[in-house]
Amino acid sequence: MAAIQFTNVSKRYDSGQEALRSVDFTLESGEMAFLTGHSGAGKSTLLKLLTRVEQPSRGDVWVGDQNLSELSRSEIPQYRRTLGVVYQNHRLLEDRTVYQNIALPLRIAGYNEEDIGRRVRAALDRVGLLESEQKLPQALSSGEQQRIGIARAIVHKPRVLIADEPTGNLDPRLSLDIMSLFEQFNRIGTTVLIATHDVALIKRMRHRVLILDKGRLRHVQ
Ligand code: ADP
């Protein structure tokens, strides 16, 4: 089954800027792919259509069996909770412990404390930071902070994991570690789409690459 499908998707902002032009692709369930292209090529816009921050001007975006155009405003928060999203600047709350940061999406979704504890520790274990649960984010290195951002994104076991320049602030060695972490989640069945301009890193990873050029999908390798 397709995890993500774009059918003839165009996005023109109110400013008149054409950010995406007739984009067509399918990411199968369990696939991992990189989305790349020059600055302004439309990568963030494509991800914003997936998180339903923006809507296409033309065409349809499907995630699983959900056509995102058919979501009502009140259904959007629930839809977003089905995704895992990792940002370049992890967006951790600085005054909460690592544990509390990762627990937050589960609290919002109404999990009980016992479930929260079990899932938060499982997520921390997966990113190799079990011993850091009571630390504040600023006590951790930037690579560790990004791992916490990933733990928070996967703690509710999303079927689709999306990342926007997740290694943008990291050196090459740490970037490779973080990408390997995404691969681990992909190996257990999560569909992964990562926007990055780090071409050297992509070449090392041997996954499918979607290349945007001025809003058009040029190559699907
Ligand atoms: P990338 O992530 O590849 O750098 P973006 O998706 O951010 O590309 O941008 C694609 C194009 O759309 C750019 O020309 C950018 O200036 C424009 N753009 C992005 N967001 C907006 C917006 N909210 N309003 C108007 N134009 C935008």
Side-chain angles (χ1 to χ4, degrees):
M1 191 182 88
I4 295 173
Q5 188 163 31
F6 276 57
T7 55
N8 196 26
V9 171
S10 296
K11 173 65 183 175
R12 175 197 280 265
Y13 286 104
D14 290 344
S15 62
Q17 181 65 44
E18 289 253 28
L20 294 175
R21 301 160 196 254
S22 307
V23 170
D24 272 302
F25 75 93
T26 300
L27 207 61
E28 298 298 334
S29 188
E31 233 185 318
M32 174 159 166
F34 292 109
L35 174 66
T36 191
H38 59 88
S39 177
K43 303 181 293 297
S44 301
T45 299
L46 193 151
L47 297 189
K48 282 180 187 160
L49 296 181
L50 281 173
T51 51
R52 194 50 161 71
V53 172
E54 295 286 351
Q55 281 196 273
S57 313
R58 202 161 8 98
D60 290 298
V61 177
W62 292 76
V63 175
D65 56 7
Q66 178 74 60
N67 181 342
L68 302 195
S69 303
E70 288 169 1
L71 283 173
S72 67
R73 189 172 285 270
S74 64
E75 289 169 329
I76 293 173
Q78 166 60 26
Y79 161 69
R80 288 202 184 120
R81 275 181 234 136
T82 68
L83 303 173
V85 186
V86 177
Y87 305 94
Q88 177 172 353
N89 300 311
H90 54 73
R91 302 189 186 177
L92 299 172
L93 301 172
E94 296 296 342
D95 59 345
R96 310 270 179 100
T97 62
V98 161
Y99 181 97
Q100 295 300 346
N101 266 284
I102 300 173
L104 204 60
L106 300 178
R107 292 239 151 77
I108 293 168
Y111 285 78
N112 67 43
E113 280 306 315
E114 194 184 328
D115 271 354
I116 290 175
R118 199 158 25 84
R119 283 174 177 254
V120 169
R121 293 196 178 95
L124 275 171
D125 193 23
R126 285 208 174 274
V127 301
L129 286 171
L130 204 46
E131 75 290 355
S132 298
E133 67 171 60
Q134 292 309 324
K135 291 184 182 159
L136 289 173
Q138 63 260 36
L140 302 175
S141 70
S142 52
E144 287 170 337
Q145 290 183 19
Q146 190 54 292
R147 283 171 180 269
I148 301 301
I150 294 170
R152 183 188 49 190
I154 55 88
V155 71
H156 59 303
K157 300 188 181 160
R159 274 184 299 172
V160 175
L161 185 56
I162 296 165
D164 193 1
E165 299 285 357
T167 61
N169 293 330
L170 304 177
D171 65 35
R173 161 91 239 141
L174 284 175
S175 296
L176 193 59
D177 285 352
I178 292 291
M179 289 301 186
S180 304
L181 203 49
F182 283 111
E183 274 186 330
Q184 283 177 35
F185 291 112
N186 176 244
R187 260 184 237 122
I188 56 172
T190 311
T191 307
V192 180
L193 180 62
I194 303 173
T196 176
H197 58 253
D198 193 340
V199 177
L201 192 59
I202 290 173
K203 283 199 175 129
R204 292 185 64 164
M205 303 286 298
R206 301 182 183 283
H207 291 284
R208 193 168 159 207
V209 183
L210 310 174
I211 304 175
L212 278 171
D213 179 10
K214 299 195 186 90
R216 287 193 188 277
L217 202 53
R218 285 290 178 209
H219 300 286
V220 183
Q221 291 168 356

